[in-house]
Amino acid sequence: MASSTRKRVVVLGAGLAGLAAAWELVQSGHEVVVLEAQTRPGGRVLTLREGFAPGLTAEAGAMFFTDRFRHLMRLVQHFEIPYESIFAPSLPYARGDALFHLQGRRLRVTADSDVDWPYNLTAEERELGPFGIVNKYLLSAFAGMDDPVASGALPDWLLEHDDKTLLEFAAERGASPGAQEMIRHGGRFGARSDTASAASTLTADFAPTRDTAPLAFVGGSDVLPRALAAELDQRIHYGAEAVRIEQDQESAQIVVRSGGRQDRVIADQVVCAIPFSVLRHIEVAPALSPAKQTVVNGLEYLSVTRSFLQMRQRFWEDEGVMGNAQTDLAIGEVQQQPLIRSQAQGDRAILEAHARWAGEPPALEGMAEEERLRYVLEEMDKVHPGVGRHYEGGQSKSWQTDRWARGAYSLYRPGQISNWLPEASRQEGRIHFAGEHTSIFNSTMEGAVESGVRAAREIEES
């Protein structure tokens, strides 16, 4: 429904949160200007195409979602964007035996194999294996409890676990030290398992995928931000860097650097949809409240470096194993891309090394691109022996060295979901805040979209 009072709104950032906010505001009849420092939409939704053979793509940012994400699915359905389950026949995830590389050992796992896991596990945990351990100590906690995805709010039972990490939560539920080590190397959630709030990780990583398969976009994750950007069209100004945010009783003003000059853009309201890791380098006058400044300056972001190795053929299929693998190597999780196969790819594919960490960086982080790719290739040979014979070239993406991101996604430490998240999303005067870091579903595309919808609603109701 269109607002009775048309407002001029400036949105800072054309990532998924900013695009969602802008699109909602346009639908309601407001005048919207989007300022994006980069020359593309999407922010941390980034599908790589250049530098690979025809037909090959790689997701360097957001990858998966589920049909339980109601705000995201509303946009997907509106723009009629095709997607598939990652377990669909056209995707690689269900092909071949599972691979692990843990404690210096390459482990091939079948449904009926008796694996000698290299950890000190109980007899039951050894029988369960890594997926059973996650189900027993983490996923089972949701049984009979209020669901944050259905309600869109963080229930009290999850907030009670904001004071501990995921590994501490698992330990309380009986996980042995060995089982905790397996959780630590469990892919997406593993890197945060001993640093982030259990309430945050359980909500963002586990609640959405319970009883439903993860989904991937056909054509790349960036099809959604590109669809939004196409509708917003000339309302988006690319190459426009916000360097100062001002507000008073009459208006808000954004000082913008673009094309070698500085201009001022005047608005009634502002949606700040850029990461706090970037916002802390932008001048705000008058200064944000002390409580808000504490969160803006203190919120951490997970470091992620993703290295993509183009393979002439999917040689692992000849061995009968998946391209994907869980590892404790410095290169992190191994993932096969593109997520959805097409005839245009032929026999080629990409093997990705997806390194995530909080704290001390791994060896690959300080390397130049060529050295990093050589290192990743050598480590990848431990997972997929003979990989060098099929390697054609590659590239990498380090989110913490990207000046427009300065990290992959927000990391709320124990206690910060209760104390910092409400402050992160709180409006200050004419400035509204959006982005995955302001949502209970932080680190997800749903968190970004949901936050944009919320910010638009705040303006609509102001």
Side-chain angles (χ1 to χ4, degrees):
M1 180 180 297
S3 172
S4 58
T5 303
R6 189 169 189 257
K7 302 180 180 73
R8 178 174 170 82
V9 183
V10 171
V11 178
L12 304 182
L16 207 48
L19 292 170
W23 187 80
E24 294 285 344
L25 289 164
V26 169
Q27 302 307 301
S28 297
H30 299 289
E31 180 185 355
V32 177
V33 173
V34 181
L35 303 177
E36 169 54 52
Q38 300 186 86
T39 55
R40 63 168 182 86
R44 287 167 288 172
V45 179
L46 175 60
T47 304
L48 301 179
R49 295 179 176 84
E50 295 297 321
F52 294 125
L56 291 181
T57 61
E59 301 302 341
M63 299 175 69
F64 304 121
F65 61 100
T66 83
D67 57 8
R68 302 187 69 219
F69 282 159
R70 58 191 179 94
H71 295 93
L72 183 72
M73 290 304 297
R74 174 170 165 261
L75 293 179
V76 170
Q77 291 162 2
H78 173 83
F79 290 106
E80 299 181 339
I81 298 174
Y83 58 88
E84 287 194 42
S85 162
I86 67 168
F87 299 123
S90 58
L91 275 71
Y93 282 80
R95 297 173 182 265
D97 297 338
L99 275 184
F100 296 81
H101 196 285
L102 303 168
Q103 300 288 300
R105 294 171 52 196
R106 182 179 188 261
L107 303 168
R108 179 173 177 171
V109 181
T110 64
D112 56 356
S113 60
D114 185 12
V115 182
D116 182 18
W117 297 106
Y119 297 109
N120 186 18
L121 304 170
T122 67
E124 181 189 12
E125 291 169 346
R126 194 164 294 279
E127 182 71 21
L128 287 171
F131 304 115
I133 283 172
V134 167
N135 185 67
K136 177 178 175 62
Y137 297 123
L138 302 177
L139 284 173
S140 64
F142 288 90
M145 308 300 283
D146 292 338
D147 181 7
V149 181
S151 65
L154 203 59
D156 289 342
W157 77 269
L158 274 172
L159 272 176
E160 290 174 1
H161 300 295
D162 182 38
D163 63 347
K164 60 181 72 74
T165 67
L166 190 69
L167 291 187
E168 290 169 340
F169 175 80
E172 285 186 357
R173 294 175 60 81
S176 71
Q180 294 173 51
E181 279 301 302
M182 294 193 84
I183 292 171
R184 187 193 303 273
H185 301 294
R188 171 181 165 83
F189 58 86
R192 298 187 289 171
S193 61
D194 62 349
T195 54
S197 158
S200 173
T201 311
L202 288 167
T203 302
D205 289 336
F206 291 97
T209 55
R210 284 192 314 122
D211 305 321
T212 186
L215 306 172
F217 289 114
V218 176
S221 294
D222 66 351
V223 294
L224 177 56
R226 286 178 180 272
L228 285 162
E231 279 211 2
L232 292 169
D233 196 25
Q234 292 298 307
R235 296 181 181 89
I236 304 178
H237 297 254
Y238 294 109
E241 177 189 1
V243 296
R244 180 179 167 90
I245 305 170
E246 302 174 358
Q247 64 171 326
D248 56 32
Q249 293 183 347
E250 302 298 324
S251 67
Q253 297 189 34
I254 310 299
V255 179
V256 185
R257 182 184 296 128
S258 178
R261 68 181 191 279
Q262 285 194 354
D263 294 310
R264 283 181 177 268
V265 182
I266 301 175
D268 299 309
Q269 304 284 328
V270 174
V271 176
C272 182
I274 56 181
F276 282 173
S277 51
V278 176
L279 177 60
R280 65 186 63 144
H281 298 281
I282 296 175
E283 187 177 0
V284 182
L288 299 172
S289 67
K292 178 73 81 173
Q293 287 187 59
T294 295
V295 180
V296 170
N297 294 328
L299 184 62
E300 297 175 60
Y301 282 72
L302 196 73
S303 297
V304 171
T305 293
R306 307 180 69 165
S307 303
F308 307 95
L309 310 180
Q310 179 175 304
M311 298 292 124
R312 183 171 178 80
Q313 63 186 59
R314 296 186 290 269
F315 63 93
W316 51 88
E317 293 181 358
D318 294 335
E319 187 188 353
V321 298
M322 291 185 181
N324 302 340
Q326 299 295 338
T327 89
D328 59 7
L329 300 170
I331 62 172
E333 182 182 11
V334 175
Q335 294 174 310
Q336 178 182 336
Q337 296 212 42
L339 300 180
I340 298 178
R341 289 186 180 179
S342 69
Q343 290 184 344
Q345 299 163 22
D347 292 330
R348 286 183 169 87
I350 292 168
L351 286 178
E352 176 200 352
H354 194 153
R356 311 170 176 94
W357 70 93
E360 191 68 24
L364 60 80
E365 178 56 19
M367 298 177 181
E369 176 84 342
E370 186 175 343
E371 181 186 9
R372 177 184 294 160
L373 292 174
R374 283 200 304 269
Y375 175 82
V376 169
L377 187 63
E378 291 172 0
E379 292 295 288
M380 188 73 74
D381 191 72
K382 299 175 182 177
V383 181
H384 290 296
V387 64
R389 294 194 299 272
H390 308 277
Y391 175 65
E392 295 184 320
Q395 57 183 291
S396 67
K397 173 66 179 179
S398 177
W399 283 104
Q400 52 280 4
T401 59
D402 183 329
R403 66 175 295 201
W404 308 120
R406 299 177 186 266
Y409 42 85
S410 57
L411 189 156
Y412 280 91
R413 288 188 177 267
Q416 292 181 347
I417 288 293
S418 301
N419 299 321
W420 281 17
L421 182 57
E423 187 62 41
S425 60
R426 187 176 62 80
Q427 171 186 350
E428 291 228 342
R430 296 177 180 273
I431 307 173
H432 306 258
F433 296 87
E436 53 83 21
H437 54 285
T438 68
S439 170
I440 63 171
F441 302 110
N442 75 306
S443 81
T444 71
M445 288 188 279
E446 171 70 2
V449 174
E450 179 272 329
S451 71
V453 172
R454 171 189 48 75
R457 184 175 62 248
E458 289 174 357
I459 292 173
E460 185 73 3
E461 296 173 352
S462 65

